[in-house]
Amino acid sequence: MQNDVVSELAQRVGPDVVVEPDAQNVLRHSQDFGVPPDAKANILALTYPRNTQQVTTILKFCNERRISVQPQGGMTGMAGGGVPVGPCVVISLERMRAIKELDVAAGTITVEAGVVMETVQKAADAADLFFPLDLGGRGSCQIGGNVSTNAGGNRVLRFGMARDLVLGIEAVLADGTVIDSLRKVMKNNTGYDLRQLFIGAEGTLGIITAVVLRLFPKPRSVCIGLLALQDYAGVLELLQRARLGFGAQLTAFEVMWPDFYELGTVGLGRKPPLPLGAGVYVLLETMGQDAEVDAQRYETVIGEALNAGVVKDAVVAKSSREATELWTVRDSPGEWQRTPHWPQLGFDVSVPTGEIHALMSEIDAELTSRWPELKTVYFGHVADGNLHASVRMNGHSVPELAIEDAVYSIVSRRKGSISAEHGIGSLKRKFLHYSRSPEELALMRAIKQVMDPNGILNPGKVL
Amino acid sequence: MQNDVVSELAQRVGPDVVVEPDAQNVLRHSQDFGVPPDAKANILALTYPRNTQQVTTILKFCNERRISVQPQGGMTGMAGGGVPVGPCVVISLERMRAIKELDVAAGTITVEAGVVMETVQKAADAADLFFPLDLGGRGSCQIGGNVSTNAGGNRVLRFGMARDLVLGIEAVLADGTVIDSLRKVMKNNTGYDLRQLFIGAEGTLGIITAVVLRLFPKPRSVCIGLLALQDYAGVLELLQRARLGFGAQLTAFEVMWPDFYELGTVGLGRKPPLPLGAGVYVLLETMGQDAEVDAQRYETVIGEALNAGVVKDAVVAKSSREATELWTVRDSPGEWQRTPHWPQLGFDVSVPTGEIHALMSEIDAELTSRWPELKTVYFGHVADGNLHASVRMNGHSVPELAIEDAVYSIVSRRKGSISAEHGIGSLKRKFLHYSRSPEELALMRAIKQVMDPNGILNPGKVL
């Protein structure tokens, strides 16, 4: 079977596009950032199409033969969306990496799915423009994957998620049909928004091959400070002040609770920018068009919050090096491997912003009452209602599934989301019903059935 | 048949919800702002549900009997989306007008579909927040209709269309199933984005009964000026300066060509704020959080554009009365009935911003070469790539259909949209293929078929 698939595919799209699986290349295509290889995975052929027509040819073949297809981007996902879970043909978009056009007047960039996020950011920057989507994997994640998983990141507050940055899309359906909605227009009220069906569907409804992305004016100023507060009521008070004081210039409002702050500073052998011991820490960033005026405004708004007693202590970055140092604390989860907190079990949930503290307390009470040995740290994009929790899985034998079930039950009762930004993939599939009603799930299945009747696209994911 | 439908529905949802059609109420439910009654319309019963359960009951009944359903909001649409075109039961959402919750911390307002846009704006304002969606019909259009048609308006540039302002949605499917995605969270990456299917579908996939909308910090400053420029190259240059100078504070960039400007000032017996005779006029608005700083910034950016010769003349509003006067010029189409320009044939198309002038020239050349008697005025939300054209239909007998076909053919060749913000409804249905490929149309039809297999929802619209 295996050799047949490779040779038949090679006949159709050319031998340079199809690679026979071997131990080495299979490993690379079997795991992503958050999920190890699946024992039932069986890659029949690896394909690296160079254009949309080749994607069509591969999909047509697989659809006719009822062979599952595993779409893959940069393999930096957190939920296993790109990880094979059965026999399949892999379609890697990595060779489709052309920047087709950057249109300054329209404020758009048109790119193939395999273009790396950082490449888009740099292309925008070179044109004095700004592509705001940003996350830790920027150097290897691909735009097709970012859009397929509706990636979030640190600037959602101001610029939205990937979903909000896509003006046009080109996607190939399971039967090879190309849906060409690659339009460079902001406004297009002509029937159903097919774009949004593909965005966040994690490749289960079609394979995204190209997108038109929105670009913004390049910010001329960035102001960043770390603030210490007493409690979550103070956080909400500061958020209101920041919203009214900075308006659309508020780009990040990241909250860190004490255990997270300690782990991300002294836990990694670094001097904390502000002393330990505060009730909660906020990293607050603004972007604007006038360095002098914006810096003054930042000082004013934070100064007022200090005077009002809302903020207890503050450090404002005076250089881009200091700004990076402050962000390093927030980005410390990438270094946890070298702390006793590792291995950990991560959560990425959302509830309305006002409920974040109540959610956290409820989770904490539930976990510690049932398993006193558990240690959890909390942080998050609080202005987006997005809380991250990380449970230390070192030094105890509480099963992951039991912890997940406990946390997601609480989120579900608050009508929150069990996956704010990481997606469902294979990892959270069994918990999907905690965030989606039976009616929503039935409608999703009906749409999946009509768009991919043979179920070849990324099986075992999402639904 | 008619009496049967009224009495059977009354039995199921209560007699207070169902009204027998008569000459007067039928007239009110048979036309919207842009489209007169259809000769084939035949309203079998008028229903005014008070809650979602009643919408479900009505839809179940109609679906079982294969009776078409006409959803209706404020009847201010421009494309006939709410106008009956055959035998049908009308479901008017006007009694579902509760504001269910305003959540300051989350920055959300949860409202039933029948709430009037202006009511949402005022509720936000009272809480020191801002609901940015705004258009001429604000006093009578309903949020359900705004979301169903994905309304645009004057502030899309900064805040997006209705689609971008909806966090959660509740909709009832053709068979009465309630899809409850009424979540107050910014981020929810749990499977397909069902919200976006209903938004812009003009009631053909389900009836929207409630929404969670995003609110923003209330702006503390508004700066508005009218600028005279030489040509469209100058407009693009000014747009780049405005984007870089104002960043996220740029909220409107409205372009008016000379014939439009003349019609909207002296044509209505008003003194033009700037003299006639410039090549093109731009209304430029910013919103920010600091009246003094923002006004100074406005003067600086516009002053630099004047010094550089990009802007030839400028008037900046010094009071809210003067600001209203400047907007009155842009909003003058609402008064055209009392000018010789009336009746007119309106277009609402989009192409990438850089191509707007080329599109306009192409349309103008085509129309005047074929019909020298035609007179067309142009204006638009140019930063969104959205051009409005208005062809005077007074004093000649050129058929509308021929003009529409000529304009949409040109838009189609540029891969633009034949309806940037007004929707398709019944009015543009025959032109849909100019903006959507056969593959896109087939996919839309497949989705319609699976969600409304009996085709009862708003038949004769969109597809």
Side-chain angles (χ1 to χ4, degrees):
Chain A
M1 167 88 178
Q2 188 151 320
N3 279 335
D4 278 4
V5 172
V6 170
S7 62
E8 290 205 52
L9 272 170
Q11 271 175 34
R12 282 166 174 80
V13 285
D16 58 314
V17 172
V18 188
V19 170
E20 179 116 28
D22 62 37
Q24 205 180 343
N25 61 27
V26 158
L27 187 66
R28 180 163 90 82
H29 288 280
S30 296
Q31 57 193 332
D32 72 10
F33 191 76
V35 179
D38 188 292
K40 293 199 279 304
N42 175 19
I43 296 177
L44 308 174
L46 291 156
T47 68
Y48 305 88
R50 287 194 163 82
N51 54 52
T52 305
Q53 180 52 50
Q54 290 178 344
V55 176
T56 285
T57 305
I58 297 162
L59 279 170
K60 262 190 184 155
F61 170 82
C62 291
N63 195 44
E64 279 158 17
R65 301 296 179 90
R66 309 290 190 263
I67 300 170
S68 293
V69 168
Q70 178 62 58
Q72 291 186 344
M75 301 303 275
T76 62
M78 310 283 281
V83 175
V85 296
C88 64
V89 166
V90 164
I91 300 184
S92 169
L93 280 298
E94 67 195 64
R95 275 185 187 160
M96 290 182 61
R97 51 174 182 258
I99 294 183
K100 297 170 107 175
E101 187 199 16
L102 190 151
D103 182 334
V104 172
T108 61
I109 188 167
T110 305
V111 299
E112 290 183 333
V115 175
V116 168
M117 175 189 274
E118 200 168 48
T119 307
V120 179
Q121 294 170 339
K122 284 181 175 166
D125 191 72
D128 220 14
L129 290 164
F130 180 61
F131 180 61
L133 196 67
D134 190 46
L135 42 83
R138 68 184 69 82
S140 46
C141 64
Q142 294 168 15
I143 284 297
N146 299 144
V147 173
S148 289
T149 58
N150 187 28
N154 291 328
R155 296 193 189 113
V156 172
L157 170 58
R158 161 66 186 99
F159 297 100
M161 301 186 70
R163 183 181 301 294
D164 303 299
L165 302 172
V166 176
L167 294 185
I169 214 163
E170 181 189 75
V172 187
L173 301 182
D175 67 0
T177 301
V178 179
I179 300 294
D180 176 2
S181 301
L182 214 54
R183 293 168 194 278
K184 290 195 296 180
V185 295
M186 289 268 292
K187 292 163 138 183
N188 184 16
N189 259 353
T190 55
Y192 310 155
D193 192 339
L194 302 175
R195 289 174 310 172
Q196 301 292 348
L197 263 184
F198 298 106
I199 301 171
E202 304 183 32
T204 62
L205 297 180
I207 296 184
I208 296 171
T209 44
V211 285
V212 180
L213 302 166
R214 276 188 79 173
L215 301 177
F216 294 81
K218 183 152 67 175
R220 299 296 191 215
S221 76
V222 182
C223 300
I224 293 172
L226 180 70
L227 317 170
L229 291 84
Q230 188 167 325
D231 54 23
Y232 194 70
V235 171
L236 290 180
E237 166 70 21
L238 175 66
L239 178 58
Q240 287 316 308
R241 286 169 175 269
R243 282 170 169 164
L244 280 169
F246 301 123
Q249 298 193 339
L250 179 64
T251 49
F253 191 91
E254 301 292 310
V255 177
M256 296 168 276
W257 276 269
D259 291 343
F260 174 94
Y261 186 73
E262 186 175 353
L263 178 61
T265 54
V266 296
L268 290 162
R270 294 196 193 112
K271 183 169 180 298
L274 289 177
L276 303 183
V280 57
Y281 298 83
V282 176
L283 185 76
L284 197 156
E285 182 192 79
T286 66
M287 291 185 179
Q289 304 307 116
D290 185 322
E292 199 178 322
V293 168
D294 297 338
Q296 201 180 322
R297 179 146 203 84
Y298 195 92
E299 300 276 358
T300 302
V301 173
I302 302 305
E304 286 171 0
L306 275 160
N307 288 339
V310 175
V311 170
K312 303 296 180 189
D313 199 357
V315 54
V316 177
K318 296 292 178 205
S319 65
S320 66
R321 190 183 53 77
E322 285 180 23
T324 304
E325 276 172 22
L326 296 185
W327 268 111
T328 301
V329 184
R330 169 57 185 84
D331 288 341
S332 67
E335 304 177 77
W336 284 346
Q337 290 96 323
R338 53 192 187 85
T339 73
H341 189 74
W342 202 258
Q344 60 97 43
L345 177 62
F347 291 92
D348 160 43
V349 301
S350 74
V351 294
T353 294
E355 298 181 32
I356 288 273
H357 186 256
L359 172 73
M360 206 184 97
S361 305
E362 211 178 327
I363 292 173
D364 234 24
E366 173 80 5
L367 295 188
T368 52
S369 74
R370 289 174 64 180
W371 304 291
E373 64 271 42
L374 291 189
K375 166 103 182 126
T376 309
V377 303
Y378 298 92
F379 59 112
H381 318 287
V382 158
D384 309 329
N386 189 178
L387 180 72
H388 291 300
S390 169
V391 181
R392 176 173 161 169
M393 296 304 283
N394 189 358
H396 64 81
S397 57
V398 181
E400 289 195 357
L401 196 63
I403 302 172
E404 289 171 319
D405 206 72
V407 171
Y408 293 141
S409 298
I410 294 168
V411 171
S412 180
R413 283 199 297 276
R414 291 185 172 272
K415 285 197 84 170
S417 172
I418 63 153
S419 186
E421 50 182 19
H422 295 169
I424 297 300
S426 54
L427 218 58
K428 298 192 184 170
R429 195 179 168 215
K430 54 184 168 298
F431 305 112
L432 186 56
H433 65 281
Y434 280 126
S435 269
R436 295 296 205 150
S437 68
E439 294 79 14
E440 289 178 288
L441 292 172
L443 180 51
M444 287 187 210
R445 279 191 210 100
I447 290 165
K448 169 73 175 173
Q449 172 65 27
V450 78
M451 290 180 69
D452 178 20
N454 301 319
I456 65 160
L457 284 172
N458 209 359
K461 313 296 162 57
V462 187
L463 288 174
Chain B
M1 166 90 180
Q2 188 153 320
N3 277 336
D4 276 6
V5 171
V6 169
S7 61
E8 289 204 54
L9 273 169
Q11 270 175 34
R12 282 166 174 79
V13 285
D16 59 313
V17 172
V18 189
V19 170
E20 178 117 27
D22 62 36
Q24 206 180 341
N25 63 26
V26 158
L27 187 65
R28 179 164 91 81
H29 288 282
S30 295
Q31 55 193 332
D32 72 8
F33 191 77
V35 178
D38 188 293
K40 292 200 276 309
N42 175 20
I43 297 177
L44 307 174
L46 292 156
T47 69
Y48 304 89
R50 286 194 164 80
N51 54 53
T52 305
Q53 180 52 51
Q54 291 179 342
V55 175
T56 286
T57 306
I58 298 163
L59 279 170
K60 263 190 183 155
F61 170 81
C62 292
N63 194 45
E64 281 159 15
R65 302 296 179 91
R66 311 291 191 263
I67 299 171
S68 293
V69 168
Q70 178 62 58
Q72 292 186 342
M75 302 303 276
T76 62
M78 309 283 281
V83 175
V85 297
C88 65
V89 166
V90 165
I91 300 184
S92 169
L93 280 297
E94 65 192 65
R95 274 185 187 160
M96 292 182 62
R97 51 174 180 257
I99 294 183
K100 299 168 109 177
E101 188 199 18
L102 189 150
D103 183 333
V104 172
T108 60
I109 187 167
T110 306
V111 298
E112 290 182 334
V115 176
V116 168
M117 174 190 275
E118 199 169 47
T119 307
V120 180
Q121 293 171 340
K122 285 180 176 170
D125 191 73
D128 222 13
L129 291 165
F130 180 61
F131 180 62
L133 196 66
D134 190 46
L135 44 81
R138 67 184 70 81
S140 47
C141 64
Q142 295 168 16
I143 284 297
N146 299 144
V147 173
S148 290
T149 57
N150 187 28
N154 291 328
R155 298 193 188 110
V156 172
L157 169 58
R158 161 68 185 96
F159 297 98
M161 300 185 71
R163 182 181 303 291
D164 304 298
L165 302 172
V166 176
L167 294 184
I169 213 163
E170 180 189 78
V172 187
L173 300 182
D175 67 0
T177 302
V178 179
I179 299 295
D180 178 1
S181 301
L182 213 55
R183 293 169 195 278
K184 290 196 297 179
V185 295
M186 288 267 293
K187 291 163 138 183
N188 184 16
N189 259 353
T190 55
Y192 310 155
D193 191 339
L194 302 176
R195 288 175 309 173
Q196 301 293 349
L197 262 185
F198 298 107
I199 301 172
E202 304 183 32
T204 63
L205 297 180
I207 296 184
I208 295 171
T209 44
V211 286
V212 180
L213 301 167
R214 277 189 79 174
L215 300 178
F216 293 81
K218 184 153 66 178
R220 298 296 191 217
S221 76
V222 182
C223 301
I224 294 172
L226 179 70
L227 317 170
L229 291 85
Q230 187 168 326
D231 52 24
Y232 195 69
V235 170
L236 290 179
E237 166 70 21
L238 176 66
L239 178 58
Q240 286 317 308
R241 287 170 173 266
R243 282 170 169 164
L244 281 169
F246 300 123
Q249 299 193 337
L250 179 64
T251 49
F253 191 91
E254 301 291 313
V255 177
M256 298 167 274
W257 276 268
D259 292 340
F260 174 93
Y261 186 74
E262 186 175 351
L263 178 61
T265 53
V266 295
L268 290 161
R270 294 193 195 113
K271 185 171 178 295
L274 288 176
L276 302 185
V280 58
Y281 298 84
V282 176
L283 185 76
L284 196 154
E285 182 192 78
T286 67
M287 290 185 180
Q289 305 308 115
D290 186 322
E292 199 178 323
V293 168
D294 297 338
Q296 202 179 322
R297 181 147 203 81
Y298 195 93
E299 299 276 357
T300 304
V301 174
I302 302 304
E304 286 171 1
L306 275 161
N307 288 339
V310 175
V311 170
K312 301 298 177 188
D313 199 358
V315 54
V316 177
K318 295 294 176 205
S319 66
S320 67
R321 189 183 54 79
E322 286 181 20
T324 305
E325 276 172 19
L326 296 185
W327 268 111
T328 301
V329 183
R330 169 59 184 82
D331 289 342
S332 66
E335 303 178 76
W336 283 347
Q337 290 95 324
R338 53 191 185 85
T339 72
H341 189 73
W342 201 259
Q344 61 98 41
L345 177 63
F347 291 93
D348 160 43
V349 301
S350 75
V351 294
T353 293
E355 297 181 33
I356 288 274
H357 186 256
L359 172 73
M360 206 184 95
S361 306
E362 211 178 327
I363 292 174
D364 234 23
E366 173 78 4
L367 296 188
T368 52
S369 75
R370 288 176 63 182
W371 303 290
E373 63 272 40
L374 291 189
K375 166 102 182 125
T376 309
V377 303
Y378 298 92
F379 59 112
H381 318 288
V382 156
D384 309 329
N386 189 178
L387 180 72
H388 291 300
S390 168
V391 181
R392 176 172 162 170
M393 295 304 281
N394 190 356
H396 64 81
S397 57
V398 180
E400 289 196 356
L401 197 65
I403 302 172
E404 289 172 318
D405 206 74
V407 170
Y408 293 143
S409 298
I410 294 168
V411 171
S412 180
R413 283 198 297 275
R414 291 185 173 273
K415 283 197 88 171
S417 172
I418 62 152
S419 186
E421 49 181 20
H422 294 168
I424 297 299
S426 53
L427 217 58
K428 297 191 184 170
R429 196 180 168 213
K430 55 184 168 297
F431 305 112
L432 187 56
H433 65 279
Y434 280 126
S435 268
R436 295 296 206 150
S437 67
E439 295 79 13
E440 288 178 289
L441 292 173
L443 181 50
M444 287 187 211
R445 278 190 210 101
I447 290 165
K448 168 73 175 175
Q449 172 65 28
V450 78
M451 291 180 68
D452 178 20
N454 301 320
I456 66 159
L457 285 172
N458 209 359
K461 311 297 161 56
V462 186
L463 289 172

